[in-house]
Amino acid sequence: MASNIIRSSATRALLFNKASFKPIVTLPAALNKIQSASIQTSAVRNDIDSAAKYIGAGAATVGVAGAGAGIGTVFGSLVIGYARNPGLKQQLFSYAILGFALSEAMGLFCLMMAFMLLFAF
């Protein structure tokens, strides 16, 4: 295509008796445009990869909110259970601590996955 443009501009110069003519597009300029296009696609791909990381990490941190809701439910149930039967205070508290630990562990696993998505991949 570049040779057709050069050929047509040379024909025009001969028809109008111009001694010197400048081609519209030179071959090295065309090659530079092609090379810059290949670099641009790799930058776009890196942008897409980093955007996917951020979206995945954000989706993984939603589980931390679930852990917070679970902890609130556990201790809310502890208060209700203690109000109904104060004699089971020690047993209810041990169950509440177990529920707290399990809920907190799920939240920490979600947070760990978010950090792995951001920094390990």
Side-chain angles (χ1 to χ4, degrees), residues 76-93:
S77 297
L78 172 68
V79 170
I80 291 172
Y82 181 67
R84 288 186 179 192
N85 194 354
L88 294 176
K89 179 180 178 182
Q90 288 297 328
Q91 188 177 5
L92 290 175
F93 187 72

Side-chain angles (χ1 to χ4, degrees), residues 4-24:
N4 290 339
I5 294 172
I6 293 171
R7 195 175 306 134
S8 66
S9 63
T11 307
R12 252 186 264 132
L14 289 175
L15 288 176
F16 295 115
N17 293 328
K18 291 186 180 176
S20 65
F21 67 93
K22 279 187 159 181
I24 297 171

Side-chain angles (χ1 to χ4, degrees), residues 68-114:
I71 291 169
T73 303
V74 164
F75 284 108
S77 297
L78 172 68
V79 170
I80 291 172
Y82 181 67
R84 288 186 179 192
N85 194 354
L88 294 176
K89 179 180 178 182
Q90 288 297 328
Q91 188 177 5
L92 290 175
F93 187 72
S94 64
Y95 288 152
I97 293 298
L98 180 64
F100 167 76
L102 293 175
S103 294
E104 188 70 21
M106 288 297 116
L108 290 176
F109 288 147
C110 292
L111 197 61
M112 177 191 66
M113 288 304 296

Side-chain angles (χ1 to χ4, degrees), residues 46-63 110 113-118:
N46 287 338
D47 289 344
I48 291 172
D49 289 345
S50 64
K53 278 184 188 181
Y54 292 134
I55 291 170
T61 55
V62 171
C110 292
M113 288 304 296
F115 284 134
M116 281 180 59
L117 284 172
L118 285 176

